[in-house]
Amino acid sequence: MWLGAAWSAGVLIAWRQEMAAALWLGTAATGAVSMLISSLRVPSPLRLPGVRREGPGSWRKDVLLLAATALAGAGAWSSRVEVLSFWPLLQYRSVGAERQQPVQLEAEVVDLQGLPPHREPGWQIWLRPWQARAGTRQWDRVSTPALSRGQVLLTVYRDSCRFFEALTPAERAIAQLRPGDRLCAAVELRLPSGGGNPGQFRYATYLARHGVLAVAYATPGQVQVRRIAGPLSPSNRLRRTLFQWRQRAVAVTGEGLDWPYQGMLQGIFWGDRQALPAAVQETFTRSGVSHLLAVSGLNVALVAAAAMVVGRRLGWGGAGLRWVTALLVGGYVLLVGAGGSAARAGLMAMFGLALGKRQGVDPLNLLGAAGLFLAIVNPFWVFDVGLLLSLAATAGLILWTRPLAQLGCKWLPWLPVRWHQSWAFSVAAWLSTLPLVWSNFGEVSPYGVVTNLVVVPLAAWLVPLAGWRCLIRMLPLPYAGRVVDQFLAQALEVGLRLLWWVLQQVGAWPGSLLRLPPWSPWSLLGLGSLALLVAGTDVGRDPFRYLGRRDRLGGVDRRVVAGFILALALSGPRWQTDRHLLRVWFVDVGQGDAALIQAPGQMPLLVDGGPAAAGPSLREFVKRQVGGAKVGLVVSHPHSDHEQGLIPIVENQEARWLVHGDWSSGERSTSAIRDCLRWADLPEWVVKQGDQGQWGNSVYWQVLWPPHSGEGAPPAERAGLENQGNDHSLAFTIGYGRVCLLFPGDMERSGQAAWLREPGPVSPRAGTSVVVLKAPHHGADSAWYAPFVDFWNPRAAVISVGRNGYGQPGSTFLAGLEQREVAVWRTDLQGAVRLRTDGRRVWIAARAFDPTQLRFAHWEERSF
């Protein structure tokens, strides 16, 4: 277990420190040699204060072994990163709004997955490049071995208007692809977008850690399938066999069941969520049982138990039964895809079955051995949330189940012991995964402890039944087999109906999903580690056997307790710090605008919401930042890339009011947002040029544009506006002390010129020293007007932009800002941009761009 922890610690060090793999591995070799010298009892200059020696050189060997293991882990991580960093096609990926030339690919199919009907229909194909050509450059797998080290995820979409028609010949050829086949396509390679906001899933990082360095999109007509002449390689033959078995097994498992029970059964038994709509998955999450939809230790344990029970009924026993069970478990893990949690559970089961009932087999050592093996095979798995949750839950069950059950027997002695064990099992798993769930998702289901007491026994019934039904339907059995199949289908549907009813009831309870303030991951990690150590000492494990009694406090090292309290005090909830600062998040919503403004002691303000596709992620980000507080909405102008993303917030009644400009002169708002506002009965305020006020005690605001179109207003033709929609954007300033933030919406050049022609245009407030500009119209060249920029003289600019075909941001706009020495941040390259100010200085931070997306890009902050 300690070796696995040391290896993971080395990976974390390499993740933060960019050093060559050779340096890490050389240092690790030096440590290994030093350990060998120490084992020969040669005196060592190493001295650890406060550590008591037990035998000659014992602690030295332990320390050196752990250090060498950590350095080896760092070297493994760095070497894997270096391998992927030399992928020849990295420079031909389109990043953000920057387009690159198409690449002609001939690639080998690694895996294939069909998109479900409730999503845009099509296929996702994992490709390993065999040959590539970009412009005048050409590579092949023989002359450039690095070409095959990275994979491409190709998404092929069907024509939506022909979804209910038969497949065309081109679509049929793609649907019949199998691992090992080849295809050709001329595609534009892209860096996956999305996940640029803190606390959200980073799709690019997830794919890169699985070897996928680029994504591409195509239609069936752009893909040419090539069959391989001759026999397949052994690896391709194995992948193809597993692919065909899995396809058949997933299809027959839920066959004949009603919606949504078929998708639920496929998710519970195979971990396949493709057929489950988002609403059903949300119900599982709100009930605290989302782990049922991921193959984990529960599934593997049930499969192993079912195999052992059947084997003993048939009269088998001894080592033969254990090895057969281990083979069945291994086959099941390979069929479900060998994800992090499934692989961990499968390895522990196979290690345990191989060792049998030998004395001294520690479950924690089995857990550490499985984790170390996975980390050695793929160091990127150290950052896999599913694997970390699986490891934490298993460690919690090993360390906490017994003490909690004994505590329950002490408090409620009249309850059966089995009930106490079930309760302790559920609480141990919930508590041990709480820090990871809190830090990664920012939400916790408090009813998960109770729900698991009901649904885990149901799952223990459903998983074996699903396995036997799958086996029966895949084997050519006579009429009696079909009768058994019908009986199993009825039993499965009864269990799934009961499970779905329980989840619906629990998900509808108030407070079923609590939003928690964002804590530092290191504080939560310290909390979990301390809890595990305390639990370990309670069950007789002593992690501090080298320390003297004077350094302990109730079996726990005093320094550990003091260090935990210090870490908690220094990096606790962020809402307890920086209370006097004005904070602004320029949210990454793709091609659109969204900014969250948090003034000291005031209601948060959300300016625009991006396109409809960004609505769910924007809502999650806002809830993570503000907790359960409602927000005020400001819509600059009624365009879909500014207002459609606000619909989920309005529908869930998480907004208090709406402010917008005079929409009568420009384009009308889209019907979706207007219907949503009428349904929610949200109070609306229309502001006009010249309106101003104070937001709290220290923040002031002023509306600059558009001009009022009512009675007595200047005629529209006087303004000379070219784009009535963009040029009627609501433009306003937010001031805090000597800092001014300018939000001009999508004002084009004509609108900015018209504003400057107004008699006595509003100037920055007297004493303003720093002006931060939210770039108008996503930095388009049509929005560049030098007199307007010179009038405000900004020190920094933030461009909210995503992938687009409009050429935004434009080269003229970027060159103009560079000429004026304006610092620029872009959400398409750096994700969300964070601004903080105390009224005198401004701190703007964003993540540094990392082309490989393998390292966790650190936050770079500049002050003005």
Side-chain angles (χ1 to χ4, degrees), residues 95-98 191 801 826-831 847-850 853:
V95 179
E98 312 297 337
L191 177 70
V801 66
R826 290 172 50 174
T827 59
D828 62 334
L829 297 182
Q830 298 161 304
R847 282 175 175 160
F849 175 65
D850 181 7
Q853 294 294 306

Side-chain angles (χ1 to χ4, degrees), residues 525-609:
L525 179 62
L527 174 63
S529 302
L530 178 63
L532 291 176
L533 292 173
V534 172
T537 57
D538 288 342
V539 296
R541 307 178 193 274
D542 189 356
F544 303 105
R545 63 182 184 274
Y546 293 134
L547 299 180
R549 285 291 176 186
R550 60 184 180 84
D551 296 320
R552 303 188 183 196
L553 179 64
V556 181
D557 182 18
R558 293 178 180 178
R559 286 169 290 186
V560 173
V561 177
F564 167 71
I565 295 175
L566 179 62
L568 198 64
L570 295 178
S571 56
R574 288 201 298 264
W575 51 265
Q576 289 184 352
T577 61
D578 299 342
R579 291 186 176 181
H580 65 290
L581 300 182
L582 174 70
R583 289 167 290 172
V584 181
W585 282 99
F586 297 92
V587 190
D588 179 15
V589 291
Q591 180 61 16
D593 271 7
L596 178 66
I597 305 175
Q598 296 173 278
Q602 300 300 314
M603 181 197 316
L605 195 66
L606 183 59
V607 181
D608 290 332

Side-chain angles (χ1 to χ4, degrees), residues 145-217:
L147 181 65
S148 60
R149 293 172 180 171
Q151 297 181 15
V152 176
L153 177 58
L154 175 64
T155 303
V156 182
Y157 289 116
R158 290 189 61 191
D159 189 354
S160 58
C161 66
R162 292 186 290 99
F163 173 57
F164 295 102
E165 299 178 10
L167 296 176
T168 64
E171 293 171 345
R172 191 177 302 111
I174 294 174
Q176 294 174 353
L177 281 172
R178 296 293 181 268
D181 293 337
R182 290 189 194 174
L183 56 82
C184 295
V187 293
E188 179 190 0
L189 300 181
R190 307 180 188 176
L191 177 70
S193 59
N197 302 315
Q200 291 186 348
F201 177 66
R202 297 181 64 84
Y203 189 49
T205 305
Y206 168 79
L207 290 179
R209 289 171 183 165
H210 289 78
V212 179
L213 299 182
V215 297
Y217 302 89

Side-chain angles (χ1 to χ4, degrees), residues 659-696:
V659 170
H660 58 81
D662 187 0
W663 289 347
S664 59
S665 299
E667 299 177 7
R668 297 287 182 179
S669 180
T670 54
S671 59
I673 186 67
R674 297 297 296 176
D675 293 343
C676 183
L677 292 174
R678 283 194 294 267
W679 170 84
D681 194 22
L682 197 65
E684 296 184 52
W685 282 274
V686 180
V687 295
K688 61 183 183 300
Q689 185 182 29
D691 289 347
Q692 58 183 337
Q694 206 162 0
W695 188 20

Side-chain angles (χ1 to χ4, degrees), residues 717-782:
E717 56 269 16
R718 194 194 79 174
L721 303 181
E722 298 175 0
N723 191 314
Q724 291 292 322
N726 289 340
D727 282 334
H728 275 84
S729 295
L730 174 63
F732 61 95
T733 61
I734 295 289
Y736 187 49
R738 295 184 296 178
V739 176
C740 178
L741 310 178
L742 174 59
F743 292 85
D746 273 1
M747 291 178 66
E748 303 277 5
R749 183 184 300 111
S750 56
Q752 299 171 28
W755 179 78
L756 284 176
R757 288 197 299 268
E758 288 288 317
V762 179
S763 301
R765 189 169 179 172
T768 298
S769 59
V770 179
V771 174
V772 179
L773 170 69
K774 197 284 297 178
H777 200 191
H778 321 292
D781 285 342
S782 60

Side-chain angles (χ1 to χ4, degrees), residues 170-482:
E171 293 171 345
R172 191 177 302 111
I174 294 174
Q176 294 174 353
L177 281 172
R178 296 293 181 268
D181 293 337
R182 290 189 194 174
L183 56 82
C184 295
V187 293
E188 179 190 0
L189 300 181
R190 307 180 188 176
L191 177 70
S193 59
N197 302 315
Q200 291 186 348
F201 177 66
R202 297 181 64 84
Y203 189 49
T205 305
Y206 168 79
L207 290 179
R209 289 171 183 165
H210 289 78
V212 179
L213 299 182
V215 297
Y217 302 89
T219 60
Q222 297 175 301
V223 178
Q224 179 184 359
V225 177
R226 290 186 178 180
R227 304 296 177 185
I228 298 179
L232 293 172
S233 64
S235 60
N236 282 334
R237 190 180 301 113
L238 176 61
R239 286 203 305 268
R240 178 170 292 198
T241 302
L242 291 174
F243 174 81
Q244 293 173 340
W245 284 2
R246 175 179 168 80
Q247 264 199 330
R248 175 62 178 160
V250 172
V252 303
T253 300
E255 194 172 358
L257 300 178
D258 295 333
W259 182 93
Y261 310 120
Q262 180 177 1
M264 289 171 57
L265 188 61
Q266 292 175 353
I268 293 173
F269 190 76
W270 296 108
D272 186 356
R273 306 188 185 189
Q274 290 291 320
L276 273 181
V280 178
Q281 298 187 39
E282 177 70 14
T283 303
F284 274 81
T285 302
R286 297 184 67 87
S287 305
V289 293
S290 58
H291 60 89
L292 289 182
L293 299 178
V295 177
S296 59
L298 177 63
N299 302 60
V300 173
L302 291 174
V303 169
M308 293 288 286
V309 169
V310 173
R312 286 170 180 167
R313 292 287 185 182
L314 296 177
W316 300 348
L321 178 58
R322 294 200 307 271
W323 283 106
V324 170
T325 304
L327 290 176
L328 289 176
V329 168
Y332 174 69
V333 172
L334 289 177
L335 281 179
V336 300
S341 57
R344 189 278 311 163
L347 286 173
M348 283 192 68
M350 288 188 285
F351 289 162
L353 290 169
L355 294 174
K357 297 183 178 179
R358 297 182 183 179
Q359 297 293 330
V361 177
D362 191 342
L364 280 179
N365 286 334
L366 290 179
L367 177 65
L372 178 60
F373 180 82
L374 293 176
I376 292 175
V377 171
N378 186 0
F380 297 152
W381 259 344
V382 173
F383 298 93
D384 184 83
V385 178
L387 176 60
L388 293 178
L389 287 171
S390 178
L391 292 172
T394 307
L397 294 176
I398 295 172
L399 295 174
W400 283 2
T401 303
R402 180 180 173 186
L404 289 174
Q406 292 175 348
L407 188 63
C409 292
K410 181 179 179 180
W411 286 354
L412 301 173
W414 47 273
L415 286 177
V417 176
R418 187 177 297 274
W419 288 22
H420 289 296
Q421 292 175 344
S422 300
W423 171 83
F425 187 91
S426 180
V427 172
W430 186 82
L431 287 176
S432 57
T433 56
L434 177 60
L436 287 171
V437 173
W438 191 339
S439 60
N440 284 281
F441 307 108
E443 58 187 24
V444 172
S445 176
Y447 306 129
V449 177
V450 180
T451 311
N452 277 288
L453 294 176
V454 179
V455 301
V456 169
L458 280 175
W461 172 28
L462 293 172
V463 170
L465 291 181
W468 286 117
R469 183 170 190 253
C470 176
L471 188 61
I472 289 174
R473 292 186 68 87
M474 292 185 68
L475 296 176
L477 297 178
Y479 177 76
R482 293 195 295 271

